[in-house]
Amino acid sequence: MTAEAPSAAPPRLSPRQIMAAMVALLIAMLLAMLDNTIVAPALPTIVGDLGGLEHLSWVTTGYILASTAATPIWGKLGDLYGRRKTFLASIALFLVGSALCGMAQNFGELVGFRALQGLGAGGLMVGVLAVVADIVPPRDRSKYQGVMMAAMPVAMIGGPLVGGFITDHLSWRWAFYVNLPLGVLALAVAWFTLRTLPKGSGAGRVDWWGAGLLTTWITALVLLTSWGGGQYAWLSAPIVGLAAVTVAAFAAFVLVERRVTDPVMPLSVFRSRNFSLAGTLAFLSGFAMFGGVTFLPQFQQFVQGSSATNSGLLLMPMMIAAMVVSIASGTLIGRTGRYKAFLVAGAALMAAGLGLFATMDTSTSSLVTSLFMVPLGIGLGCLMQTTTLLAQSSAPVGDMGAATGASTFLRNMGGSVGVSVLGSVYASGLSSRLGSAGGPAAGSAQSMTPEALRGLPEAARHLFASAVTHGVVEVFTVASAVAACGVAVALFIRHVPLRGFGGADRAAAGPAASGAEQERQPATEAATAG
């Protein structure tokens, strides 16, 4: 990517000024991350209130898809017009989307407004990372990044808890309205604390063709995986048409990105084998994480009888395990420079944890599902931070931002495709079991809520719980098979010393070397097993 000269030197802020700005950045980070998890405990109630079981996954998929597609565009707009303007605009767009989600009157409106909210969220995420890079010198960045990392476990643990509590005691609509006061606070703090940021280069152009083609093939792919085999037969005209659009738009995207001066996603970073493998693992971990968080509450509420609040609490073993292991693995990698073992173990544990959930039946207790969450959480903890670290280390120094963005894109794509595929699997399994069984519950899936289920006769409750279990088990069977591919991917990763260890220092000190060049370091360094 061609670097543009900034219009002004990065601001020199005192630690006190930086911490004041960090308040706005932390709130923005929390807003973007919370909305990935806060909605999950409310989904059974939302579906019962608005209908649309067959589109359940789109409440999450629409948000992730829009956020993923918008991220590189927000980044380029920040370069052109300044971080402050684009960051404030993204917060405002996120707040508008949140308010409209809370006012949605049908499922179609909710999905559309979630996509609008996701467009703003993409700007929040890239804005936070870019602003930190603007206001904090590299030598001090690690301690401030530690503060930012605290937002992730808070969001992962707090999201399901807050979402469950709101659903039980207020209304699912407040899962969206709660963003408004926090967002207004972030908007006000950012307005006053980020005034010294550079105004933007004003040079260069946004790669709108690349951005448009990227959005087209992503959307077509997610629709293909969501509708195929469920709403439409795999060989039906709509599915074949979507497949053709996906292939054509992807091919055009690659062609455009190879020719434009400032591509929205530089393809050069994929020349490194380790980067491509790390991106694949990021995709698979996103697939598993969002799939587990989205569909497990269905089993907890409909089969185990948990409230929305309790279903949020019951996700804590996975979240806490992921948080602790992510911090611990990061510390160990920092001390030893070895990471491959964490990638292999993480992929294996992720697949094993998902496989355990595939053994559930209607008698499985909350304690057992909590225990199943631990290996899944440990696996995710080993992968989340390590895949990003490997992606950054495998890319040229000059392409660090592009490498980080591409890795984040692939993880979000995994979440989008995972939720859409697994949502289709769940809806198909649930509907087929109810349809084959018949009886009073056969047509009730569209409007069923946990509270309404408790009012049905015992036979109908058992039938519906059995159908939900069948759907959820199919979800985790598919997810486990996909995650198992991650073990093979991790085994092919070649250990290369991270920058800052041994010969890797040369890459950091000298001209930017490509990831492929780093992998061609002396065998005594590169052959070391992680």
Side-chain angles (χ1 to χ4, degrees):
M1 178 185 293
T2 302
E4 301 289 353
S7 60
R12 293 182 178 273
L13 304 181
S14 68
R16 192 174 197 175
Q17 290 174 311
I18 292 174
M19 289 308 298
M22 291 289 288
V23 172
L25 301 182
L26 277 170
I27 295 173
M29 181 75 81
L30 280 171
L31 286 173
M33 290 184 172
L34 274 173
D35 263 73
N36 281 329
T37 57
I38 197 172
V39 178
L43 281 178
T45 302
I46 293 174
V47 171
D49 191 6
L50 300 180
L53 172 69
E54 69 277 13
H55 305 304
L56 177 149
S57 63
W58 277 94
V59 176
T60 301
T61 301
Y63 179 89
I64 302 173
L65 184 61
S67 175
T68 302
T71 296
I73 301 174
W74 281 111
K76 187 62 177 179
L77 290 175
D79 290 339
L80 293 176
Y81 304 113
R83 311 290 185 206
R84 181 171 177 262
K85 289 180 181 178
T86 53
F87 188 55
L88 292 174
S90 67
I91 295 175
L93 184 60
F94 181 85
L95 293 180
V96 170
S98 297
L100 291 174
C101 284
M103 295 185 287
Q105 298 302 307
N106 57 62
F107 213 82
E109 288 184 1
L110 179 61
V111 171
F113 296 148
R114 279 286 279 173
L116 181 64
Q117 193 186 31
L119 290 176
L124 295 181
M125 295 296 293
V126 72
V128 167
L129 297 174
V131 170
V132 169
D134 274 348
I135 66 176
V136 181
R139 64 181 179 274
D140 296 331
R141 201 167 292 163
S142 60
K143 63 182 180 182
Y144 291 102
Q145 286 177 338
V147 176
M148 297 306 300
M149 285 300 294
M152 183 175 291
V154 169
M156 292 177 69
I157 296 172
L161 292 178
V162 174
F165 180 84
I166 287 174
T167 303
D168 283 340
H169 299 285
L170 295 172
S171 163
W172 62 264
R173 297 181 185 277
W174 281 95
F176 302 106
Y177 291 147
V178 73
N179 293 327
L180 301 182
L182 288 174
V184 170
L185 177 60
L187 199 63
V189 175
W191 179 273
F192 290 105
T193 60
L194 302 182
R195 288 182 173 180
T196 58
L197 289 180
K199 303 300 182 183
S201 66
R205 298 171 56 189
V206 177
D207 177 20
W208 291 114
W209 277 107
L213 290 167
L214 175 70
T215 304
T216 300
W217 75 259
I218 291 174
T219 303
L221 176 62
V222 173
L223 286 172
L224 171 69
T225 55
S226 179
W227 289 347
Q231 191 165 343
Y232 299 102
W234 282 109
L235 296 180
S236 65
I239 298 303
V240 173
L242 284 171
V245 170
T246 301
V247 174
F250 179 77
F253 170 75
V254 172
L255 184 63
V256 167
E257 296 305 275
R258 293 180 65 180
R259 294 188 175 186
V260 297
T261 304
D262 291 313
V264 70
M265 182 181 292
L267 302 181
S268 59
V269 295
F270 291 94
R271 292 173 185 167
S272 165
R273 185 181 78 169
N274 270 8
F275 179 88
S276 297
L277 293 174
T280 303
L281 277 177
F283 180 92
L284 295 174
S285 64
F287 190 107
M289 180 173 66
F290 287 110
V293 170
T294 300
F295 297 100
L296 195 54
Q298 301 288 317
F299 181 82
Q300 293 168 328
Q301 294 182 40
F302 283 122
V303 180
Q304 295 178 331
S306 300
S307 65
T309 301
N310 285 340
S311 69
L313 284 168
L314 291 170
L315 291 173
M316 287 185 68
M318 179 173 66
M319 304 304 185
I320 293 175
M323 176 187 69
V324 171
V325 173
S326 179
I327 295 172
S329 62
T331 301
L332 289 172
I333 291 170
R335 289 178 179 174
T336 66
R338 299 186 176 187
Y339 50 82
K340 184 174 178 179
F342 292 101
L343 295 171
V344 175
L349 287 167
M350 181 175 68
L354 292 168
L356 289 173
F357 283 114
T359 66
M360 298 187 302
D361 56 37
T362 54
S363 64
T364 302
S365 66
S366 298
L367 175 61
V368 172
T369 53
S370 296
L371 292 175
F372 287 173
M373 290 180 204
V374 175
L376 177 59
I378 294 174
L380 291 173
C382 287
L383 291 174
M384 285 189 299
Q385 179 173 267
T386 314
T387 51
T388 301
L389 177 67
L390 178 58
Q392 292 174 333
S393 183
S394 300
V397 176
D399 284 337
M400 189 68 66
T404 304
S407 178
T408 303
F409 168 82
L410 289 169
R411 180 176 288 106
N412 289 343
M413 267 299 295
S416 298
V417 174
V419 173
S420 65
V421 169
L422 298 179
S424 179
V425 169
Y426 174 73
S428 176
L430 176 63
S431 299
S432 66
R433 178 60 64 93
L434 289 177
S436 63
S444 63
Q446 292 289 337
S447 58
M448 185 62 67
T449 65
E451 186 173 346
L453 180 64
R454 288 191 285 271
L456 293 178
E458 174 65 28
R461 290 202 305 271
H462 178 75
L463 173 60
F464 195 83
S466 176
V468 169
T469 302
H470 177 70
V472 171
V473 165
E474 286 195 352
V475 162
F476 284 108
T477 300
V478 173
S480 178
V482 172
C485 299
V487 180
V489 172
L491 288 172
F492 278 100
I493 288 174
R494 180 182 302 163
H495 179 80
V496 178
L498 298 175
R499 290 175 182 140
F501 291 91
D505 283 334
R506 293 190 297 272
S514 69
E517 288 170 338
Q518 292 178 43
E519 290 177 0
R520 290 195 296 268
Q521 292 185 60
T524 55
E525 295 178 345
T528 306

